[in-house]
Amino acid sequence: MKKILLLAIMVMAFTSADMPDARQEAEEYVYICTGPSSKRYHKTERCKGLRKCSDDVIRISKSQAINQGKTPCKICY
């Protein structure tokens, strides 16, 4: 009985170590135009909304884009 209990505790310890913590969720990345009139963020760098970008298109975290005042693109979101 002790062996089964010990085995169960070990299995639970290893499985919980592999599970991601809610605070460690994967950050979502988006694409933005660095132009002065850019207002949106995009799912992909091939979005039609980025065709008129006069500057570079860069990949940043979604939270950074929101902090910069960007809103989701109506084409790709």
Side-chain angles (χ1 to χ4, degrees):
M1 184 68 173
K2 288 182 183 179
K3 290 181 182 179
I4 294 173
L5 184 58
L6 182 60
L7 181 61
I9 291 172
M10 289 176 59
V11 168
M12 289 172 48
F14 285 118
T15 8
S16 64
D18 292 339
M19 297 177 73
D21 190 39
R23 293 169 289 170
Q24 296 176 345
E25 290 181 18
E27 183 70 44
E28 183 179 353
Y29 288 93
V30 295
Y31 296 88
I32 63 166
C33 175
T34 58
S37 61
S38 171
K39 299 176 186 170
R40 309 281 184 204
Y41 61 85
H42 307 268
K43 279 186 184 181
T44 68
E45 59 186 331
R46 292 183 296 275
C47 175
K48 285 178 18 178
L50 284 170
R51 286 188 183 161
K52 295 181 181 179
C53 179
S54 60
D55 285 335
D56 295 328
V57 174
I58 61 170
R59 179 181 176 238
I60 64 171
S61 71
K62 186 175 180 178
S63 58
Q64 285 178 313
I66 292 170
N67 287 340
Q68 291 180 14
K70 309 281 187 198
T71 57
C73 169
K74 294 179 182 180
I75 298 169
C76 59
Y77 276 95

